[in-house]
Every structure is written in structure tokens, then in C-alpha cells.
Amino acid sequence: MSYRSAFFSALATLWAVVSAATVAWCIIRFPPPETFNTLSIPANPQVAPARYWRTACAGVQCTLCPFRCFLPEGARGRCRVRMNTGGRLVTLVQSSPVSVHIDPIEKKPVFHLLPGTGVYSLATVGCNLRCDFCQNWEISQSYPEQVREGAVIPREVQFGGYSDGRPTFQLRQDIARTLTPGEVVRAALATHCRSIAYTYSEPTVFFEYMLETAKLARKKGLKNVMVSGGYIEPEPLAELAPYFDVVKIDLKGFDERYYRRAVGGELRFVLRTLVELHKHKVLTEVVNLVVPTLNDSDEDFKELARWIRKNIGPDTPLFFSRFTPQYRLQNLPATPLDSLERAWRIARNEGLNYVYLGNVPGHPAESTYCPACGHVLIRRYGYAVLENHIGADGRCPYCRKKIPGVWS
């Protein structure tokens, strides 16, 4: 290298050093305006810090469910209710139910938890799946902004005196836009419900609201029920598990292509959730909605039943529920009864002990039978319990076999 080249090279290096030092001094001396990292969360009771996320590139990544949405500033996740605000993930539905009802526990459907009792049921908008056959698509596929009015909130059941010698009761309710976890628990107790269900849409997306409510409910002696599609990551599921008595999972089929096409997700993650629940020893009930021509083959039923028996046990309650035309599948007929009965026979032949049919009031397969002696233990008609012979000890009164469930 010539003397002249060396000189200009050294000069260029010196200039780069001086320039970098000058820029650094200017930034320190004259700091830039506030960036989105210093913004505060809006003063709105429905907006609260969310759990399970991390900073990623110029945004955040939600780690609550398997979609793991990456969200730039101002973006929302697939669920529509979790948003990057000021470089932090927030939930837009804290204490903001859109649907609140008192249901029979059998409506969930949950058959092995306190049969014949009432369950205080609530949901916010939002869901992380896109089921073509969704029964509650008006709320599950909506944004919080689309809910302009509050929900009707059952507050208290009051004794109304006697009429013709019979006691009467009145349900006090009102309309509200917010219902805090403490208010949920108080209302559940005041309406004489034995449990609280997080249901209708997808409770995973209102994780923070559900978890806080479930903790308070447990302290007050109430049971907790999660009715879910099972699309959740193992870590948040492990945090929920100690507070839940029953988790009902909608296992919508047993084919990956069907899950991708009709559900908008992947089967493998739902199966992982079922295994995790079994590991945490949470009583799990499984529902399979039988959709004509889409998931109603003998092979579908056999694979589903075999997987349940092998991975989460033969005592897992399994429901085959009748499909009715809904949402994007109104071109299909309701499920024929013989398809449901065929599914029932296959699951029983595969060794499952508690197999039920749903949405067929009056069918014998709505009832619970002892797998050892065959006696009817709980006779049902629709959502009504006509007989219940299982005592507080959870055993068959005829042969003393232990029946899995929560009976007192």
C-alpha cells in the first residue's frame, strides 16, 4: 500500500470514529422524543396487562396458545382480544363478559361433576380457532368493539313466598358491561350455583380473567369448569390446572386435514393438551361433534377411541354429539341418529367405559351405567337428572365400583 493510500485510509478511520462519537454525544445531550415504550395502558377497566408474552424484534410475541402470534405495535392476535399496546401485551376483555347464564351442568356437557346442579356460566368475545360449525360464532368471532351493550347478569335468586302452597323464587338480574372476578363469585353463590364454567367462546383467550376468578371461586368452595377447544400451550395450562375440577375438551375430529380445513388449527396441539391434563390429574371429559360426511367414518371413530384409551385412559367420559346446521355449514343435514349410535358402539367395543350421546334427549346413552355390573347409576333426559344413585363416596351402590368424578 502506498503512503498516499495509507494516509487516506487512516483519515477515513479517524473520521468514522469522530462521527460515531459525535452522534453518541448528540443522543445523550439531546435525547429523542418519547417512543411507544413509554406509553401507558389506556385507563379502561376492560384493558389489563396480559400474561404469557415476550418482546420480539419491533413487537411482542404472544406465547399463550400454539399460534404464538407476532404483534407489531397496535396489532391484535388471531383471537382478536390480545393486543400490543406500547410494546406490551394487553387483554381487551378483562372483567368484560358478553354472555352470562345459569345453566344445568349437563348442558356443558359435563356428566361427572355434581349431576343436576346449576353452573354459573360466562364468556367474553374472542376465540383462537375458526370452526365452520361454531354454535356461538356471534361472540366467538367478534371483536370487543362490536359489543355495544352489556350482558344480562344474573345476580341473586330470592325467595318469593308461597303460591298454592309451593315456594316461589325470583331471579334478580341487571345489565352491566363489566363483571369483576369477585362479582362473578358472589353472583354464583347468591344464585345457588355449585360451580363456575368458563365456556361459550374460548376461555383460553380470556386467560387472566378466568384464572383470577377460578382462584377466588376455589377459596369460596365453588368448583371450576373449563369448556375449551384445547388450543393452549403447556405452561399456562399448568398454571390453570390446580384450580380446575373438570376440563371439557372439544376434540372436533381425528384427522389433521379436517382440523386445518374445518377448525383452523392442528390436531396435534389438542392431543398434547389432553395428555397434559392427564399428567396434571385433572378430570377431563371429551366431546366429539359428529359432522355428516366430514368426520363420521368408522375409522375416525376407531382412531379417536383407541387414542383416548391408550393415552388418557378408558375411564375418560366421551360424548358423541349431534351436529345441527350452523354458521358456515348450513348446507349439511343434522347428524343421523344411526351415525351416533354407530360411534357409540365402536367406542364401547374399543374399551371405553363411559360413552354418551349428546343432543338426543331421551336416548338411553344419555345415562351413566356402571361398567362393572351394568346398573343405571344416573338416568338423564336431556339436561334433567331423573335418578342419581351415586353417593358422596363416588361408588356404585350395587357392586361398590369406584366411578370417576366429583360427586359431592
Side-chain angles (χ1 to χ4, degrees):
M1 177 182 294
S2 68
Y3 174 79
R4 183 182 180 85
S5 297
F7 172 77
F8 282 111
S9 177
L11 186 63
T13 301
L14 179 62
W15 174 255
V17 171
V18 171
S19 297
T22 302
V23 170
W25 179 84
C26 289
I27 291 175
I28 296 172
R29 180 67 180 82
F30 305 103
E34 291 185 343
T35 65
F36 65 81
N37 283 315
T38 61
L39 296 176
S40 60
I41 295 173
N44 183 329
Q46 299 171 338
V47 179
R51 305 279 302 281
Y52 295 102
W53 61 277
R54 64 184 182 87
T55 301
C57 299
V60 302
Q61 183 174 35
C62 180
T63 60
L64 180 63
C65 90
F67 285 114
R68 291 182 164 261
C69 299
F70 170 73
L71 308 175
E73 171 64 21
R76 299 191 194 187
R78 181 181 174 90
C79 61
R80 300 181 175 89
V81 301
R82 302 172 76 79
M83 177 178 178
N84 178 356
T85 298
R88 289 159 290 178
L89 189 67
V90 299
T91 170
L92 305 178
V93 290
Q94 180 67 18
S95 301
S96 181
V98 68
S99 184
V100 185
H101 299 282
I102 299 171
D103 292 329
I105 190 68
E106 287 74 19
K107 188 178 179 180
K108 297 302 102 186
V110 168
F111 279 9
H112 287 236
L113 171 73
L114 304 175
T117 61
V119 53
Y120 200 85
S121 305
L122 72 151
T124 73
V125 298
C127 183
N128 52 0
L129 295 176
R130 300 286 186 271
C131 301
D132 289 342
F133 42 79
C134 183
Q135 299 180 49
N136 295 311
W137 60 271
E138 296 95 335
I139 61 174
S140 70
Q141 305 303 312
S142 294
Y143 291 87
E145 298 90 331
Q146 293 175 296
V147 182
R148 297 181 179 179
E149 299 180 356
V152 177
I153 310 295
R155 296 285 187 179
E156 183 181 9
V157 172
Q158 300 172 326
F159 176 65
Y162 290 89
S163 176
D164 296 328
R166 299 178 180 179
T168 62
F169 299 91
Q170 296 177 342
L171 176 63
R172 184 176 68 83
Q173 53 189 10
D174 57 30
I175 297 177
R177 289 188 60 85
T178 60
L179 188 69
T180 67
E183 290 175 322
V184 174
V185 173
R186 287 193 292 273
L189 292 170
T191 53
H192 305 286
C193 292
R194 299 283 303 278
S195 54
I196 297 175
Y198 313 87
T199 178
Y200 302 139
S201 57
E202 173 49 62
T204 295
V205 306
F206 57 93
F207 176 89
E208 297 78 14
Y209 186 27
M210 173 172 58
L211 178 61
E212 186 178 349
T213 304
K215 288 180 178 180
L216 294 177
R218 175 59 60 89
K219 290 180 181 179
K220 294 295 183 179
L222 293 167
K223 307 298 183 184
N224 287 301
V225 180
M226 180 181 179
V227 180
S228 170
Y231 227 69
I232 185 172
E233 289 285 75
E235 187 179 354
L237 183 64
E239 187 173 6
L240 288 171
Y243 303 101
F244 278 80
D245 301 276
V246 175
V247 175
K248 197 272 289 185
I249 295 295
D250 288 312
L251 182 56
K252 303 168 193 293
F254 214 77
D255 179 81
E256 281 287 2
R257 290 175 299 176
Y258 172 74
Y259 247 86
R260 289 175 182 273
R261 182 176 68 252
V263 179
E266 296 183 53
L267 171 63
R268 62 192 178 101
F269 293 120
V270 182
L271 298 182
R272 182 184 66 183
T273 292
L274 287 167
V275 171
E276 289 293 317
L277 288 169
H278 184 65
K279 183 192 305 181
H280 293 300
K281 295 181 170 53
V282 179
L283 177 62
T284 305
E285 303 195 19
V286 178
V287 173
N288 177 229
L289 183 70
V290 180
V291 184
T293 74
L294 296 184
N295 68 346
D296 60 347
S297 71
D298 286 3
E299 194 59 33
D300 288 332
F301 299 144
K302 286 179 183 178
E303 289 187 12
L304 185 148
R306 288 171 181 171
W307 187 92
I308 289 176
R309 184 194 63 201
K310 178 181 178 180
N311 293 277
I312 56 178
D315 284 343
T316 303
L318 171 63
F319 298 78
F320 291 107
S321 290
R322 169 176 269 170
F323 161 86
T324 55
Q326 298 282 347
Y327 195 29
R328 294 173 177 161
L329 290 183
Q330 298 188 40
N331 59 310
L332 295 180
T335 313
L337 181 58
D338 62 349
S339 295
L340 296 172
E341 292 176 335
R342 177 164 46 88
W344 185 91
R345 288 192 298 270
I346 289 172
R348 292 286 291 144
N349 290 337
E350 290 296 331
L352 299 188
N353 293 325
Y354 304 97
V355 185
Y356 301 101
L357 296 188
N359 299 333
V360 281
H363 196 283
E366 287 188 306
S367 298
T368 299
Y369 300 84
C370 177
C373 67
H375 279 90
V376 177
L377 300 179
I378 303 174
R379 191 182 303 278
R380 300 179 180 87
Y381 188 100
Y383 302 144
V385 173
L386 306 181
E387 302 175 29
N388 183 359
H389 303 291
I390 301 178
D393 61 356
R395 295 187 178 276
C396 171
Y398 307 103
C399 69
R400 306 305 299 161
K401 179 176 175 57
K402 183 72 173 177
I403 309 299
V406 179
W407 308 111
S408 63

